[in-house]
Amino acid sequence: MTTQTAAVLESLLLDPAGPKVVAIGGGHGLSITLEAVQSYASSVTAVVAVADDGGSSGRITSGLGIPPPGDIRRCLLALTPEPSMWSELFAYRFRGGDIEDHSLGNLLLAALTDLLGDFAAAVDTAGRMLGAVGTVIPAAAEPAILSATVGGVEVVGQAAISKAQGGVERLELGPAGLQAHPHALQAIAAADQIVLGPGSLYTSLLAVLMVPWMAEAVMASPARKVFVLNLVTQDGETLGLSGDRHVEALAEMGGVTGPGTIITHDGPLQVPPTVDPVWVRDQGRWGWSVVGADVADQQAEWPAHDPMRLGWTLAELVGPDLG
């Protein structure tokens, strides 16, 4: 009954004439993209980074050896249109005791993994429990480990890299033998549109694309590629990095180039003094065309994309043959 109810809900909330959309990344940025694409897609799949080693996710991963559940949980909630007790539980965070700052949703995903014996199956089950209108797939079936050279210093771990100052000169993803989840590769091959970002460039987006065979799948897919450029630099991993350098890193480290479209913000934006705006005018060098649009949420406390505005812009990039 739960599966049937979720299927009926999904058919009501998504556009059956719309494209099949795959969104790639992690963190808050990917959640915004998932909210945006629900306005025009017929199916939505999130392919999520599994390199997070900070906070509740890091504690669970180090203790239980499962992929970090935090970004997965955020994506599930972003795809859950109707509030329920389940969504309240998945969003709940403890304040105090031995489980202080743990997200209950993370713990529930860990428990489901233990019961079912497979993390991806646990995520799928959680999606049905929540009534999610799309599919969430971990980029790999095991935790990934990021390492980098930042400002000439060797840094290990997603959390440390995200805060390191000095510019990322090298980025590697392990462990040896890490493999892309086959369901993620299948979704990418069948997609009509692939949305990259927004979000942390190195520790979210590239952490997915550097999983073996992931970038190759994106480049081989017939889908229309869209790179949603961040609004501002990130204090740490991209501080001082221009929009052109974002695109260059996507190509040289992530293995993804055009043809495709870059969405860059074109409109008012309150930029905090500690960061810089990120924008590009032309990226023909890497095969991208550039579309400027007002996609910022003017009510956000920190620069963030507005899901509705971003959804309108992404829908216009699908093409006349797909809705």
Side-chain angles (χ1 to χ4, degrees), residues 283-301:
Q283 268 302 326
R285 175 188 176 192
W286 298 108
W288 299 94
S289 59
V290 179
V291 168
D294 185 352
V295 290
D297 180 355
Q298 301 299 333
Q299 306 304 316
E301 295 182 1

Side-chain angles (χ1 to χ4, degrees), residues 15-56:
D15 181 358
K20 298 185 290 293
V21 180
V22 172
I24 294 176
H28 182 63
L30 181 56
S31 298
I32 290 177
T33 297
L34 294 176
E35 293 182 34
V37 301
Q38 289 174 58
S39 64
Y40 65 91
S42 62
S43 72
V44 183
T45 301
V47 178
V48 189
V50 290
D52 185 5
D53 62 349
S56 173

Side-chain angles (χ1 to χ4, degrees), residues 224-245:
R224 297 168 185 255
K225 296 190 294 293
V226 183
F227 179 26
V228 182
L229 202 63
N230 292 338
L231 299 176
V232 296
T233 55
Q234 184 174 338
D235 189 3
E237 65 182 82
T238 61
L239 192 62
L241 200 71
S242 68
D244 290 339
R245 289 287 292 122

Side-chain angles (χ1 to χ4, degrees), residues 19 21 40 192-195 222-229 260-264 288-293 295 309-323:
V21 180
Y40 65 91
D192 298 312
Q193 185 185 62
I194 296 173
V195 183
R224 297 168 185 255
K225 296 190 294 293
V226 183
F227 179 26
V228 182
L229 202 63
T261 305
I262 296 171
I263 296 177
T264 186
W288 299 94
S289 59
V290 179
V291 168
V295 290
R309 292 176 180 270
L310 181 58
W312 292 337
T313 305
L314 286 169
E316 291 177 353
L317 298 177
V318 171
D321 55 329
L322 290 171

Side-chain angles (χ1 to χ4, degrees), residues 158-228:
Q158 178 269 344
I161 294 169
S162 69
K163 299 173 184 176
Q165 303 277 338
V168 177
E169 301 155 9
R170 175 194 62 86
L171 190 68
E172 292 185 0
L173 189 72
L178 186 73
Q179 295 184 357
H181 198 288
H183 291 170
L185 299 179
Q186 291 166 10
I188 290 169
D192 298 312
Q193 185 185 62
I194 296 173
V195 183
L196 308 166
S200 298
L201 176 64
Y202 296 103
T203 56
S204 289
L205 181 54
L206 295 186
V208 175
L209 295 175
M210 292 180 69
V211 174
W213 300 111
M214 195 68 73
E216 290 86 348
V218 171
M219 292 302 295
S221 174
R224 297 168 185 255
K225 296 190 294 293
V226 183
F227 179 26
V228 182

Side-chain angles (χ1 to χ4, degrees), residues 50-228:
V50 290
D52 185 5
D53 62 349
S56 173
S57 285
R59 291 161 63 189
I60 290 173
T61 296
S62 62
L64 301 177
I66 67 171
D71 285 354
I72 296 281
R73 174 184 57 83
R74 290 187 188 92
C75 290
L76 288 169
L77 289 171
L79 290 171
T80 303
E82 297 296 328
S84 67
M85 182 56 69
W86 278 120
S87 63
E88 291 290 328
L89 289 170
F90 267 80
Y92 182 80
R93 191 172 293 274
F94 292 96
R95 304 295 181 193
D98 293 340
I99 53 176
E100 181 176 7
D101 204 39
H102 261 309
S103 162
L104 180 56
N106 292 351
L107 296 174
L108 288 170
L109 284 168
L112 286 169
T113 302
D114 192 43
L115 288 171
L116 299 174
D118 180 78
F119 182 69
V123 174
D124 186 61
T125 299
R128 294 199 301 271
M129 292 163 60
L130 288 162
V133 297
T135 304
V136 179
I137 305 173
E142 61 179 305
I145 303 170
L146 274 176
S147 62
T149 303
V150 184
V153 178
E154 299 301 307
V155 183
V156 177
Q158 178 269 344
I161 294 169
S162 69
K163 299 173 184 176
Q165 303 277 338
V168 177
E169 301 155 9
R170 175 194 62 86
L171 190 68
E172 292 185 0
L173 189 72
L178 186 73
Q179 295 184 357
H181 198 288
H183 291 170
L185 299 179
Q186 291 166 10
I188 290 169
D192 298 312
Q193 185 185 62
I194 296 173
V195 183
L196 308 166
S200 298
L201 176 64
Y202 296 103
T203 56
S204 289
L205 181 54
L206 295 186
V208 175
L209 295 175
M210 292 180 69
V211 174
W213 300 111
M214 195 68 73
E216 290 86 348
V218 171
M219 292 302 295
S221 174
R224 297 168 185 255
K225 296 190 294 293
V226 183
F227 179 26
V228 182

Side-chain angles (χ1 to χ4, degrees), residues 238-291:
T238 61
L239 192 62
L241 200 71
S242 68
D244 290 339
R245 289 287 292 122
H246 278 69
V247 181
E248 184 176 306
L250 183 67
E252 295 183 346
M253 294 184 178
V256 173
T257 63
T261 305
I262 296 171
I263 296 177
T264 186
H265 175 63
D266 183 9
L269 184 68
Q270 292 293 324
V271 180
T274 56
V275 296
D276 300 306
V278 178
W279 54 275
V280 294
R281 288 180 177 172
D282 175 63
Q283 268 302 326
R285 175 188 176 192
W286 298 108
W288 299 94
S289 59
V290 179
V291 168

